[in-house]
Amino acid sequence: MLDSSEQTLPQAGQVWFPDSADKTAQAIEEFDKEGLPLFILANWRGFAGGQRDLFDGVLQAGSLIVEQLRVYKQPVFVYIPCGAELRGGAWVVVDSQINPTHIETFADPTARGGVLEPEGVVEIKFRVPDLVRAMHRIDPVIRHHKENGGAMAEAAIKAREKQLLPAYQQMALRFADMHDTPQRMYSKGVLAGVVPWREARRFFAMRLKRRLTEEGLIRHVASTDVSISRREAISMVHAWSSMAGTGLHDELAWGSQLPTATAAAGGSGGGVAPTVAAAAAAAAAAAAGGDVETLFEAQLESDKALLAWAESPSGKAQIAVELKALRSQAAARLVRDMLATSEGKEGLIKGLQSVLATDNALVTQLRALVGAK
């Protein structure tokens, strides 16, 4: 007789259970090994929190998702589609702060996001006693009864409170929901942008091309000078494009900007071009005014401009010059570090002796340098 039997377990939608969370973590790990960009269409209310789910390792599976995103080496896009929501622990495990130099989060204007749902916020922040106090502070009828007093005032106030309570609960719910809108999330730095669903394909196709182009440049910088961190390499690439007037530095996603290699070497670094400043000002004005369409278009134009710069002959020439300057800086630092020790000095002299025997041009350059000193 068989010891196993089939079991049918009902599972709610929009919820991560132990098995589905574990599959998600495994899929992310495999995509990273294959070197693929990752798109996450997020529509979860959280993790299953039953005793059985805890016993089956739902917390461990959730932590695996966090770990796989933390070490992900390719561009990651988290998008909350129209009518979708990202809540509770699901928000925590796909937050862009897990891997801020790789993960970007976007949302449709009708999407919602936050750890607590509006109903949960109302139960904590706007309980019935809080709403009653608001009625006594705002409602003119209750204030009139309190000022006039009388035998029937208390009963009239209670009746008025009962009449107003449903409306105040709806207003509290709406107020809590306003804090979960994409415009609010963008203003708090949680989102990198607000992208309408009908424009998502066009936007993300261009954004992916930009990110892949940036990744290629960042790898060139990292291989040129191993002492440069990834965040510094990102800032350098954005500074190069800004010098050409075609980049838009995204502080929400990438952090502070650093000087270019040529500026550090003593050349003219250049400032942000007027076109970049105009695009940044347009995006800031759109975010402040809630103009999602303007913000989306400004980001799209920024991506197109950076791609046009990176693929243009002048852009390629500028990148070559900057990489050459980085290699020169790395070599100069290496020689300086070698000369800091007696062994390094001895090794450098021996190396120069072997090279000078065959390189007459280097001999002339060194003589000119020593003579100038």
Side-chain angles (χ1 to χ4, degrees), residues 347-365:
L348 181 61
I349 292 174
K350 290 181 179 180
L352 283 174
Q353 288 176 345
S354 62
V355 173
L356 292 175
T358 58
D359 194 338
N360 295 326
L362 182 59
V363 173
T364 304
Q365 291 176 347

Side-chain angles (χ1 to χ4, degrees), residues 14 20 32 38 42 49 53 67 95 115 135 139 152 158 180 253-254 266 274 298 303 307 327 329 337:
Q14 293 182 270
S20 56
D32 189 27
L38 179 63
D53 301 309
E67 178 61 19
D95 186 68
V115 176
M135 295 177 199
D139 186 61
M152 302 298 294
K158 292 294 183 183
D180 296 338
W254 305 119
D303 295 341
L307 286 171
R327 286 192 291 269
Q329 291 180 37
D337 294 340

Side-chain angles (χ1 to χ4, degrees), residues 10-96:
Q11 293 184 345
Q14 293 182 270
V15 177
W16 259 318
F17 287 87
D19 55 348
S20 56
D22 188 62
K23 290 178 182 177
T24 302
Q26 291 180 13
I28 295 174
E29 181 181 12
E30 292 174 2
F31 292 159
D32 189 27
K33 289 181 178 179
E34 295 180 13
L36 298 175
L38 179 63
F39 279 87
I40 300 176
L41 297 180
N43 186 22
W44 293 289
R45 298 179 63 190
F47 285 85
Q51 185 175 0
R52 176 74 182 186
D53 301 309
L54 295 174
F55 180 79
D56 289 340
V58 67
L59 296 179
Q60 291 85 341
S63 65
L64 283 177
I65 297 176
V66 175
E67 178 61 19
Q68 296 304 327
L69 287 176
R70 185 187 68 84
V71 299
Y72 208 86
K73 299 179 179 61
Q74 312 302 326
V76 180
F77 301 93
V78 179
Y79 181 60
I80 311 176
C82 57
E85 57 183 344
L86 190 59
R87 306 284 185 181
W91 176 279
V92 175
V93 300
V94 297
D95 186 68
S96 59

Side-chain angles (χ1 to χ4, degrees), residues 267-290:
S268 60
V272 178
T275 54
V276 181

Side-chain angles (χ1 to χ4, degrees), residues 289-307:
D291 191 349
V292 176
E293 193 69 27
T294 304
L295 172 62
F296 153 74
E297 291 295 342
Q299 290 177 322
L300 186 61
E301 290 303 318
S302 168
D303 295 341
K304 291 179 180 178
L306 187 138
L307 286 171

Side-chain angles (χ1 to χ4, degrees), residues 164-204:
L164 293 177
L165 186 59
Y168 271 68
Q169 287 176 331
Q170 290 296 321
M171 285 189 289
L173 190 65
R174 175 58 180 160
F175 181 75
D177 181 69
M178 290 173 63
H179 288 72
D180 296 338
T181 60
Q183 291 82 359
R184 177 65 177 173
M185 289 189 284
Y186 179 82
S187 66
K188 298 299 289 185
V190 176
L191 297 182
V194 182
V195 181
W197 174 255
R198 66 180 181 277
E199 302 287 354
R201 182 187 295 270
R202 181 165 66 102
F203 175 84
F204 284 114

